[in-house]
Amino acid sequence: MLHFLNFDTSQLPSEKAQVVICGSGIGGLTTAIVLRELGLETLILTRGIGNTYYSQGGIACASHPEDSPYLHLLDTQRAGRGLCREETLRILVDEGVQRIADLKRWGVEFDKETTIEGGHSFPRVFKVKDYTGRAIYEALWKRVKDLGIRVVMGELQEILGEAKVEGIIYYDGGLKLIHTKALVLATGGAASMFLYTSNPVKVRGDALGIAMRKGISLLNPEFVQFHPTVVKDTNILISEAVRGEGALIIDQKGERFVDELQPRDVVARAIYKKLREGGDVYLDLRVLQDKGIDLEKRFPTIYTLLKEKGYDPQREPIPIRPASHYFIGGVEVDSYGKATLEGLYAVGECACSGVHGANRLASNSLLEGVVFGYRVAYRVYHDLPFLKEEERKVKHKRKGMHNPPYTFEDLRKLMWEKCGFEREERALKEALEKLRGWLEGWKGWEDTIENRQLLDISLVALATLTTALWRKESRGVHYRVDYPYEREEYRRDSLFSIFDDLYTN
Ligand SMILES: Cc1cc2nc3c(=O)[nH]c(=O)nc-3n(C[C@H](O)[C@H](O)[C@H](O)COP(=O)(O)OP(=O)(O)OC[C@H]3O[C@@H](n4cnc5c(N)ncnc54)[C@H](O)[C@@H]3O)c2cc1C
C-alpha cells in the first residue's frame, strides 16, 4: 500500500457515508439509484461528465422474440476471441431485458426501432437517435436528484485502510475525508492515456492507479480498443452508424482504400497505415445526402458537433484519424463487482468482469454498466452488515520537492507511438524502459494533485505496456506485428500488480 499525498486524517474536514460511489456514468448512477431504492444512504463523488454522456450508438439487448440472449452471447464471444468469461457474459446477455425495462421505467425514451451494429447478428441495439448516452445519463441523473441522493463534486485522491476500505480522501479545493466501509469505483476507463482519444478529459484512468497503489491488480490491461473515425485534432467520434448508412472513407485523392464495414480494428489499422505513409484520410458523408438521408435529422449530435468545429458535412469530407476509445481491462472483479480488497467494488469501464474478452462488441459497454451496476448494489446491500467499521488515524508525510521528469503529454505520446495499434517487442521494451526511468524517483516528486494524477495514470500505462510485451500473440484488439496470429498458450488472462509485477491466470 502506497500513499502519494501528504495528509493527516485527524486534521482533515471529515464526514461519514454508508456507501461512496465514485463516478457518475451509467455504472455509478445505476448503483446509486438501486442502493437508494433499497433504502441505503449513498454519496456520489464525481469529477463531472464521463463517457456515458457522449455515447452515440446505443445499448445492446436481445429482447426481440426472434432474437435470443444465446445469440447475443455467441456474437460477443466471437469478438472476444476466446477470452470472454462465460459466467459473467451469461449474466450480461440474460439480465439485459430487466435492465432495459428499468431504464425505461427511469425515463429513457428509446426509439421504437432497434438497430444493428457491427458484430451483432440481429438488430438488438436500443438507441435514442444518435445521443443514446446523453438520454440515459439525463434520465439517471434526474432519478438521482428525485431520490435525493447526495452528489459531491470532487476528485478521488487516496483510498484509506490496509486490509479493508476505511475511507477515502478527495479534493475539491482542499483535501477532505469521508469515512466509509464500502467504496464503489465507477470511474470509467483509461483510454485517454494515449495521445489521440475519443474520451473526454474528466475520464483519465487515474482512479485505477489509486486502486493499484492499494494492491489491486488490473486484469487484461493490454486490451485497448481504438476507434477508426474520430475527427482530426478533436475527441469527436463519428459513430459506425454513419458508415452503416453508406459514408465512405477516402484518401487525399478521393480514393477508397478500405472496406468501411470491416471490424473497428481492421479499419483503424488501414487508416493508421495511410496516415503513416504521409496521406490524409477523410470520412465522406455527402453520399448519405445523395441517398436522401437528411444528416441533420438522422445524426443531429454529429451534425451539430461538426458544424461547431467549422465543418460542413453536406459539402466537404471530414478529416479523421483513429483514436484510443475503450479500455477493456480494469479492476479484477467477480460477477457482483466485488474486488479483492474488502469493501471495494468496481463497475463499468474501470472494472474487468471478463464479458468483453479480447475485443468489445459495439454497444455492450453501456449494457455492462447498467447490468453490473444493479448487481453491485445488491452485493453491497448484503455485505454492509458484515463489513467492519474502522476509523484509524493516518498520517502520511514525505519530503518530495521535485517535478516529475515528464508530462502527461509525454506519456500519451509514448503510449501512442510505442503501444498503439501495432505493437512489437523492441518498441514495447523501449517504452517500458523509458517509463520505468521516469518513475524511478517518484517518491521525490512534490505532493501536488497534478503529480498524483500523473503517477496514477503512469501506473496504468505500466500495466498496459508490461502485459502488451508479455502477450506474444495477436488477439482481439491487441495486435503484435512480430506475432501476427493467435497462440493457444496465450488463451488466458493477464494480471498486473505493481507489487507482484506480472502474473498470469
Ligand atoms: C464517444 C464515445 C461513444 C461511445 N459510444 C458507445 C455506445 O454507443 N454504446 C456503448 O455501449 N458504449 C459506448 N461507448 C463506451 C461507453 O460510453 C463507456 O464504456 C461507458 O459509458 C462507461 O461508463 P462508466 O459508468 O463506466 O464511466 P463513465 O461514463 O466514463 O464515467 C466515469 C465517471 O468517473 C468520474 N471520475 C473519473 N475519475 C475520477 C476521480 N479520480 N474522482 C472522481 N470522479 C472520477 C468521471 O468524472 C465520470 O463521472 C462510447 C464511448 C465514447 C467515448
Side-chain angles (χ1 to χ4, degrees), residues 223-431:
F223 294 109
V224 180
Q225 191 173 59
F226 291 84
H227 198 286
T229 53
V230 174
V231 180
K232 196 175 168 191
D233 298 329
T234 73
N235 59 358
I236 299 172
L237 179 139
I238 305 184
S239 101
E240 254 104 3
V242 176
R243 275 175 285 138
E245 294 285 7
L248 300 176
I249 294 175
I250 54 173
D251 64 13
Q252 68 279 11
K253 291 186 231 137
E255 286 169 10
R256 288 178 65 208
F257 57 91
V258 61
D259 173 358
E260 292 81 359
L261 298 180
Q262 292 221 63
R264 271 182 194 174
D265 51 323
V266 177
V267 180
R269 276 207 300 279
I271 296 176
Y272 181 64
K273 185 163 175 278
K274 190 56 110 188
L275 292 172
R276 258 201 347 201
E277 289 164 0
D280 290 318
V281 181
Y282 302 86
L283 189 65
D284 193 348
L285 287 83
R286 293 172 300 182
V287 251
L288 271 65
Q289 218 172 259
D290 301 341
K291 283 174 145 185
I293 297 171
D294 183 337
L295 279 179
E296 202 173 347
K297 274 207 184 120
R298 174 71 180 86
F299 300 107
T301 310
I302 295 170
Y303 183 83
T304 310
L305 288 171
L306 288 175
K307 280 288 200 183
E308 277 170 14
K309 285 283 166 197
Y311 294 115
D312 185 349
Q314 285 162 333
R315 289 175 189 279
E316 57 187 336
I318 311 299
I320 51 158
R321 62 169 315 130
S324 68
H325 181 57
Y326 184 85
F327 193 67
I328 292 174
V331 173
E332 186 192 12
V333 290
D334 70 8
S335 66
Y336 280 94
K338 206 167 169 157
T340 49
L341 178 72
E342 189 181 310
L344 186 70
Y345 305 80
V347 65
E349 199 172 327
C350 71
C352 186
S353 61
V355 292
H356 307 299
N359 194 357
R360 177 191 67 114
L361 203 58
S363 290
N364 267 357
S365 43
L366 288 175
L367 181 65
E368 183 187 15
V370 68
V371 164
F372 289 93
Y374 196 91
R375 291 174 67 86
V376 169
Y378 274 88
R379 186 68 264 160
V380 171
Y381 174 83
H382 287 290
D383 283 353
L384 262 186
F386 299 97
L387 297 175
K388 280 181 231 77
E389 199 168 316
E390 214 159 330
E391 291 183 11
R392 277 175 303 144
K393 293 191 174 41
V394 191
K395 215 174 179 173
H396 183 253
K397 185 113 195 90
R398 65 184 169 79
K399 296 193 192 78
M401 292 299 288
H402 303 297
N403 284 328
Y406 66 109
T407 63
F408 185 33
E409 284 313 291
D410 294 332
L411 177 72
R412 297 173 78 205
K413 210 156 168 263
L414 183 79
M415 292 305 286
W416 181 260
E417 284 169 4
K418 310 282 187 191
C419 192
F421 316 87
E422 296 188 345
R423 300 164 170 181
E424 51 100 14
E425 182 129 349
R426 193 182 39 81
L428 289 169
K429 279 187 169 158
E430 272 172 30

Side-chain angles (χ1 to χ4, degrees), residues 36 41-42 142-151:
R36 189 73 199 97
E41 286 301 326
T42 54
K142 181 172 180 306
R143 185 88 189 127
V144 162
K145 293 285 162 198
D146 289 349
L147 289 169
I149 296 171
R150 185 150 171 245
V151 178

Side-chain angles (χ1 to χ4, degrees), residues 22-28 45-59 154-156 186-189 198-200 202-203 206-207 210 237 325-326 347-350 360 362-367 452:
C22 187
S24 58
I26 191 166
L45 172 71
T46 178
R47 185 151 65 187
I49 282 174
N51 284 357
T52 299
Y53 185 90
Y54 296 95
S55 297
Q56 299 171 355
I59 177 164
E155 183 180 81
L156 180 72
T187 48
S198 65
N199 286 199
K202 304 276 179 196
V203 182
D206 58 322
I210 299 173
L237 179 139
H325 181 57
Y326 184 85
V347 65
E349 199 172 327
C350 71
R360 177 191 67 114
S363 290
N364 267 357
S365 43
L366 288 175
L367 181 65
R452 195 281 303 155

